[in-house]
Amino acid sequence: MDILFCTSEAYPLVKTGGLADVSASLPRALAKPGNDVRLVLPAYPEAVERAGELTTVARLGLEGADGVVEILQGRFPDSEVTLYLVDSPQHFRRRGNPYLQADGRDWPDNAERFALFARAIVAIARGALDSGWQPELVHCNDWQTGLVAPLLRSHTPRPAVLFTIHNLAYQGLFPRQTFTRLGLPATLWSMDGLEFHDQLSFLKGGLVFADWLSTVSPTYAREICTPAFGCGLDGLLKHRSDRLSGILNGMDCVEWNPSTDPFLERNYTVRTLQHKADNKAALQAETGLHADRGRLLLGFIGRLVEQKAIDLVLEALDSLFEHPFQLVVLGSGERRFETRLRHAAERFPGQLAVHIGYDEGLAHRIEAGADCLLMPSRYEPCGLNQLYSLRYGTVPIVHRTGGLADSVVDHTEETAADYTATGFVFEQDTSAAMLEACLRALSCFESSRVDWWKLVITGMRQDFCWASSAARYLDLYIHVCNLVRAEMLEVEQPLRQLNV
Ligand code: ADP
Ligand code: GLC
């Protein structure tokens, strides 16, 4: 199959979160003989620098660009995947976060930037490259690629479009005037189009016009069809639920492998688990925690936003530290959470370590050195850290939602007995429920070493590498292409009979 995978971030070229991990590892997993997978993203300066050798393979005149937009071609690092970078200096030649300015606010022209990106993708999909290559399927991801489906829709023949929701809460909403300024076809301004409560919604473009929708776990696929998780779009999603799939993300098992991970103090496998303790000691030393193997060391890694429920962790600290816990937090995000965390770290020296910022190496060392990973997220479309922690023998403590519910099996008498338990799961998103789960973990850690190691080993034996999820994507691609071909034939046959 010929697939064009469209994304606004892909590790190691540019990363703000899990979308970058998935955009790197899914195309790599799909790029097997018989599949031609090509990845397209904006030509941010860091991406251009990290991409290696690039050549210009198209020069396009696109609406919304003052000059010529060049499509640069290279190879995505460590893969057979062809890389395209959309080079429009006015839109993308800026350093730092791809969506935010240095002060944390959105770039004021994000609508123009990602409308231009969509127009470039549509041009590529319609054969504008010098080589004339055209995909059979365009796989769009999140709101930044939301305009691709509506802009491609009016062309026949056209490739099929799959739109994947990684996080419904980020919708790409802009004032109505932006719609006019972008020069989008007037017919798209309606409740059944891009309008969302009198605003322009990029996300709705994908949700309404893509041939098929998917999201990153089966549970989240069900959750987003309900008012509690639907962000106002549950009605539309329910309406489209016959074309909505939930496929659990896989993980990059080369990048995240405790037996080869170059960031670790000491590598280990399920057979040399005793070496995990060296990583715990090193992490305690690195982050200024008391050197104490007997304390249960919790790790938290993530964006400091409401979704990740860091506020529940902050609320629970006093009660938590009445027990032999330690906690290391790595994250960045909203200032209010960063400030509260810094203050908390001063109150609990040796027990709480806070690292504000983005640090790939430390993320790996926490996954290896902690005893448990804490993920109390209010909602979590998939979540990758709990997959990494399972592989690293670090027991996840998670809220039962989205991909967390789909990847962690709660420790109960039965699941412990039949060797299926992999972590501790709590039902309510309250700090009391989270604390209770932490205490269950502590009790297991302290009182029943056999049960504890069973949990660790069962977790490490889970297989969340991409193979099976990538196979599901491929089946879905084939299904959607067939569907679109059939739909086009349904239009074309009567037309032919009419001789028009
Ligand atoms: P989300 O995409 O919602 O942020 P995921 O769990 O899917 O959540 O993915 C988050 C990814 O970003 C993981 O690879 C995680 O290790 C990484 N990450 C998040 N915050 C940081 C940080 N401060 N430093 C290093 N890596 C981080
Ligand atoms: C989003 C979600 C996260 C998911 C990631 C990759 O950022 O918040 O749960 O793992 O996308 O799909």
Side-chain angles (χ1 to χ4, degrees):
M1 272 203 95
D2 295 329
I3 302 149
L4 183 62
F5 191 96
C6 317
T7 181
S8 55
E9 49 183 281
Y11 180 79
L13 302 184
V14 50
K15 168 166 168 175
T16 72
L19 173 62
D21 292 0
V22 172
S23 300
S25 49
L26 174 56
R28 279 194 193 116
L30 290 167
K32 297 279 167 323
N35 297 327
D36 186 353
V37 186
R38 308 194 181 192
L39 185 62
V40 57
L41 74 157
Y44 313 111
E46 292 88 346
V48 172
E49 284 157 19
R50 292 171 191 159
E53 200 181 314
L54 294 165
T55 47
T56 302
V57 291
R59 296 169 58 81
L60 310 173
L62 295 176
E63 188 165 349
D66 294 340
V68 167
V69 175
E70 293 196 2
I71 307 296
L72 313 176
Q73 179 178 322
R75 187 151 299 278
F76 189 63
D78 305 320
S79 78
E80 292 302 309
V81 176
T82 300
L83 170 71
Y84 295 118
L85 296 175
V86 175
D87 191 14
S88 176
Q90 129 203 30
H91 294 105
F92 299 122
R93 238 178 247 179
R94 308 168 192 181
R95 293 199 166 265
N97 187 295
Y99 321 119
L100 309 174
Q101 313 179 86
D103 64 6
R105 286 180 304 150
D106 288 351
W107 290 110
D109 57 349
N110 271 348
E112 281 78 2
R113 299 170 74 223
F114 292 104
L116 186 280
F117 184 45
R119 285 187 161 117
I121 292 167
V122 169
I124 295 174
R126 300 192 56 228
L129 296 172
D130 295 344
S131 63
W133 181 83
Q134 279 181 273
E136 294 163 83
L137 182 129
V138 179
H139 186 167
C140 295
N141 294 277
D142 275 355
W143 75 264
Q144 293 85 353
T145 57
L147 294 186
V148 173
L151 292 175
L152 204 51
R153 192 88 187 172
S154 54
H155 302 283
T156 12
R158 63 166 178 87
V161 181
L162 170 67
F163 185 83
T164 297
I165 304 158
H166 293 263
N167 194 333
L168 196 67
Y170 296 86
Q171 304 190 350
L173 289 177
F174 301 95
R176 183 184 182 143
Q177 302 84 288
T178 307
F179 177 84
T180 320
R181 215 174 49 235
L182 293 179
L184 294 166
T187 49
L188 290 178
W189 187 261
S190 83
M191 255 172 60
D192 305 323
L194 304 182
E195 190 214 327
F196 184 66
H197 300 292
D198 208 36
Q199 285 196 292
L200 161 63
S201 163
F202 272 48
L203 183 71
K204 260 190 89 185
L207 302 189
V208 174
F209 295 101
D211 299 299
W212 202 278
L213 306 176
S214 77
T215 187
V216 288
S217 69
T219 296
Y220 193 60
R222 287 191 299 276
E223 287 173 342
I224 54 178
C225 295
T226 66
F229 292 89
C231 305
L233 292 159
D234 41 294
L236 167 59
L237 287 162
K238 218 165 149 185
H239 175 67
R240 296 218 66 194
S241 57
D242 60 332
R243 290 191 176 204
L244 168 63
S245 308
I247 303 177
L248 195 72
N249 282 335
M251 57 175 282
D252 186 329
C253 288
V254 175
E255 196 73 39
W256 294 92
N257 181 349
S259 68
T260 53
D261 191 329
F263 291 114
L264 305 194
E265 171 74 13
R266 183 134 191 212
N267 293 113
Y268 60 97
T269 67
V270 77
R271 292 184 196 288
T272 55
L273 254 176
Q274 66 277 16
H275 299 331
K276 184 166 160 48
D278 297 340
N279 292 296
K280 178 170 175 176
L283 180 63
Q284 285 170 325
E286 176 180 357
T287 57
L289 293 173
H290 296 310
D292 184 346
R293 289 189 176 196
R295 283 176 186 257
L296 192 151
L297 175 49
L298 300 164
F300 178 104
I301 305 167
R303 295 178 293 114
L304 302 175
V305 295
E306 287 245 349
Q307 174 192 349
K308 305 290 177 184
I310 185 67
D311 50 318
L312 298 188
V313 179
L314 280 158
E315 262 173 50
L317 288 180
D318 283 298
S319 314
L320 198 69
F321 291 132
E322 284 171 11
H323 305 274
F325 284 110
Q326 291 180 329
L327 169 64
V328 51
V329 176
L330 167 63
S332 63
E334 291 181 31
R335 293 279 140 80
R336 57 184 173 133
F337 294 133
E338 296 184 353
T339 311
R340 283 177 66 191
L341 278 166
R342 281 201 181 98
H343 288 155
E346 286 165 17
R347 286 181 50 222
F348 299 106
Q351 287 176 291
L352 171 64
V354 171
H355 186 101
I356 302 294
Y358 187 88
D359 187 333
E360 194 71 31
L362 183 55
H364 285 244
R365 287 190 291 280
I366 293 175
E367 291 288 8
D371 297 300
C372 286
L373 184 91
L374 192 52
M375 269 184 97
S377 311
R378 293 200 158 80
Y379 71 93
E380 194 62 79
C382 178
L384 295 169
N385 283 312
Q386 84 281 11
L387 304 183
Y388 303 151
S389 78
L390 286 167
R391 190 136 200 260
Y392 280 62
T394 298
V395 178
I397 303 175
V398 303
H399 175 215
R400 194 185 297 284
T401 186
L404 301 176
D406 293 339
S407 54
V408 182
V409 177
D410 188 31
H411 179 267
T412 62
E413 248 173 60
E414 293 95 79
T415 59
D418 68 9
Y419 291 81
T420 53
T422 56
F424 296 89
V425 184
F426 55 96
E427 305 292 331
Q428 302 296 321
D429 56 350
T430 62
S431 63
M434 185 194 74
L435 188 64
E436 205 252 337
C438 291
L439 291 173
R440 281 201 291 135
L442 181 64
S443 145
C444 182
F445 179 76
E446 287 186 325
S447 63
S448 168
R449 298 307 282 172
V450 174
D451 248 21
W452 183 260
W453 288 116
K454 263 164 66 180
L455 258 179
V456 168
I457 292 167
T458 310
M460 289 181 88
R461 292 233 157 98
Q462 303 301 302
D463 180 4
F464 288 108
C465 299
W466 264 108
S468 72
S469 292
R472 265 184 221 130
Y473 271 105
L474 210 52
D475 286 346
L476 183 59
Y477 290 167
I478 294 167
H479 178 66
V480 182
C481 282
N482 288 339
L483 197 86
V484 171
R485 256 179 236 129
E487 281 173 358
M488 280 181 201
L489 280 178
E490 268 171 40
V491 178
E492 275 173 19
Q493 271 169 358
L495 273 181
R496 248 179 265 135
Q497 276 159 12
L498 285 171
N499 250 343
V500 289

